[in-house]
Amino acid sequence: MNDAEAYRCCLAGDEAGLRELMERYGNPLTLYIDGYLHDVHESEDLMIEVFAYLLTKKPRIRDGGLKAYLYQSAQHSALRHRHRLRRCFSLEALSTEPEGEMLLEEVIKTKERNRILHGCMEQLNPDYREALYLVYFAEMSYAQAAAVMGKSVKQITNMVYRGKQSLRGFLEKEGITDAEQ
């Protein structure tokens, strides 16, 4: 079931559609919100509020726009909440646990690379960091990221390009020279 079908099911009162959307976007939205709040429990609460708003208000969302809508709602919720906390976007809590079958050496290597990547990402301009996160980690199109950040597609294109250039420089300083172009 795609996003539009799942949302139509939600609007019709079918819990299967909501379950599908929450399975697909629940954890990624929680991690995205946690980048602002640095509190996974508050982030989970706000993620649930985003879905509750979606169910109660039933906003009209154009086809293909649900993912951007959810991330934009999550961002607004996080910013409203953060306004009280005065913290900024961070990628510290966004690493995932390695799979059990990975060799210990690979786990250590992967954790070290993730630590370096997250440290370098934290050094980036916050707009570059968020644009890169939305495009590469949340797998959004430039248009969807633009909608979430309230920018034009051209601005997102520029931020992603500049962010990648800056990130490549930081990674090279850390000794990682095989960063993708």
Side-chain angles (χ1 to χ4, degrees):
M1 175 179 329
N2 67 29
D3 288 351
E5 292 169 347
Y7 185 55
R8 278 193 288 277
C9 288
C10 283
L11 293 177
D14 184 1
E15 288 185 24
L18 175 63
R19 191 173 19 261
E20 176 80 22
L21 292 174
M22 288 196 72
E23 286 174 7
R24 188 174 301 153
Y25 294 114
N27 288 337
L29 284 174
T30 300
L31 291 173
Y32 180 67
I33 295 168
D34 192 50
Y36 286 100
L37 303 182
H38 313 289
D39 182 341
V40 74
H41 301 294
E42 288 293 322
S43 300
E44 287 173 341
D45 290 345
L46 288 179
M47 179 271 299
I48 291 168
E49 286 179 21
V50 167
F51 279 104
Y53 181 85
L54 189 70
L55 286 176
T56 57
K57 299 297 182 182
K58 300 180 180 177
R60 291 178 50 139
I61 301 171
R62 62 179 168 73
D63 281 348
L66 182 67
K67 184 176 187 177
Y69 179 86
L70 289 171
Y71 274 85
Q72 191 170 29
S73 296
Q75 180 193 47
H76 288 290
S77 294
L79 290 174
R80 279 193 309 274
H81 189 79
R82 187 186 80 182
H83 181 70
R84 291 177 249 146
L85 302 175
R86 299 279 186 220
R87 294 187 184 156
C88 64
F89 187 84
S90 169
L91 293 169
E92 268 182 51
L94 296 179
S95 64
T96 57
E97 291 296 317
E99 294 180 22
E101 65 265 4
M102 289 180 72
L103 299 173
L104 183 58
E105 247 176 56
E106 287 297 313
V107 170
I108 292 169
K109 198 187 240 181
T110 301
K111 282 187 175 185
E112 180 64 14
R113 285 181 73 99
N114 284 345
R115 185 193 61 74
I116 291 170
L117 174 63
H118 288 242
C120 291
M121 290 284 286
E122 285 298 322
Q123 296 177 50
L124 291 175
N125 171 310
D127 286 337
Y128 296 172
R129 181 172 54 237
E130 186 169 7
L132 287 172
Y133 176 80
L134 292 173
V135 170
Y136 291 105
F137 292 93
E139 299 176 349
M140 288 188 179
S141 68
Y142 284 30
Q144 290 172 322
V148 170
M149 293 181 69
K151 309 276 186 191
S152 71
V153 173
K154 178 65 176 163
Q155 287 174 308
I156 295 297
T157 302
N158 290 340
M159 282 191 265
V160 167
Y161 176 78
R162 291 178 185 144
K164 284 175 23 179
Q165 293 298 107
S166 297
L167 182 59
R168 190 172 293 114
F170 291 134
L171 289 170
E172 286 173 359
K173 286 180 187 173
E174 293 290 331
I176 298 177
T177 57
D178 61 344
E180 290 182 21
Q181 296 292 334

